[in-house]
Amino acid sequence: KQLVSTQSTGGHGGRYILDSLKTGAVEKQFYTDADLTIGSKINVWGREVTICDMDEFTAYHYKSKFNVDKPTPIHYKQTEAAKTEREVPPYNGWGSEEDSRANCLKLIAQAPKRDFIKFMKKDRQGLDSHVLRYFARLDTNRPIDMDRTFIISFFLSDDTISVFEPEKRNSGIVHGKFIERSKIKKPSGEYYAAEDFARGCRG
């Protein structure tokens, strides 16, 4: 049933009457089974979709109701040669690189999977921290940076690295966290591992 407003010109109050002639009705058209066949194009939420194939039960329905044989299916699967390799955009520095990559691989982003067994074996257990610590300095000829020292921590549980700069009085340099704990790549593109750290190594 359709209602028509009879609000007065003054804008105060108003009444509604039954529109028995449906003068204000909006005609809506809906898809039926007669519209859905191979090769038909339908609008799905603003996008044009082409029907490419149907199952045997649907083909039997069209044969019994409309006396129409099943049309030739439309080939829609891409060949291996036509498939393009997915390109992952370069890391922009926000968050971890693993998280940024996960946002590009799936529609609903998921946290990157961790090696849980390794994490349980190499996580802190009492006094055993399973963290390798190294004393390092900058490899530079700049006088202001030659005396700067750092503590590099390598966490065996997930192969992450953090770098801390101890305080030096009257140095004029802000001390504290130099690199937040994260995985760091070598110039070759691979991540640093425990075997990459030793006395005298440069990175």
Side-chain angles (χ1 to χ4, degrees), residues 142-192:
R142 295 182 58 188
I144 193 174
D145 293 330
M146 291 179 63
D147 294 333
R148 296 178 66 181
T149 57
F150 302 87
I151 297 176
I152 301 176
S153 300
F154 186 91
F155 298 84
L156 295 174
S157 60
D158 55 1
D159 296 341
T160 53
I161 301 172
S162 68
V163 181
F164 179 84
E165 184 173 5
E167 180 182 5
K168 281 193 175 182
R169 299 183 61 181
N170 301 325
S171 65
I173 298 175
V174 179
H175 65 281
K177 182 169 57 178
F178 188 75
I179 296 179
E180 188 175 0
R181 179 178 174 179
S182 61
K183 285 189 173 183
I184 301 178
K185 282 187 174 182
K186 296 184 288 187
S188 62
E190 300 177 352
Y191 288 104
Y192 279 104

Side-chain angles (χ1 to χ4, degrees), residues 92-137:
N92 58 9
W94 291 92
S96 66
E97 186 172 356
E98 293 79 9
D99 286 334
S100 299
R101 183 179 179 86
N103 293 334
C104 303
L105 297 180
K106 294 185 178 181
L107 182 61
I108 301 177
Q110 297 180 355
K113 294 183 179 180
R114 302 172 60 180
D115 191 342
F116 186 75
I117 297 178
K118 179 179 180 180
F119 176 78
M120 292 300 295
K121 288 183 178 180
K122 298 298 183 179
D123 194 21
R124 174 180 289 274
Q125 299 175 3
L127 298 178
D128 298 329
S129 62
H130 293 103
V131 178
L132 307 180
R133 289 183 175 87
Y134 305 89
F135 183 79
R137 66 176 180 84

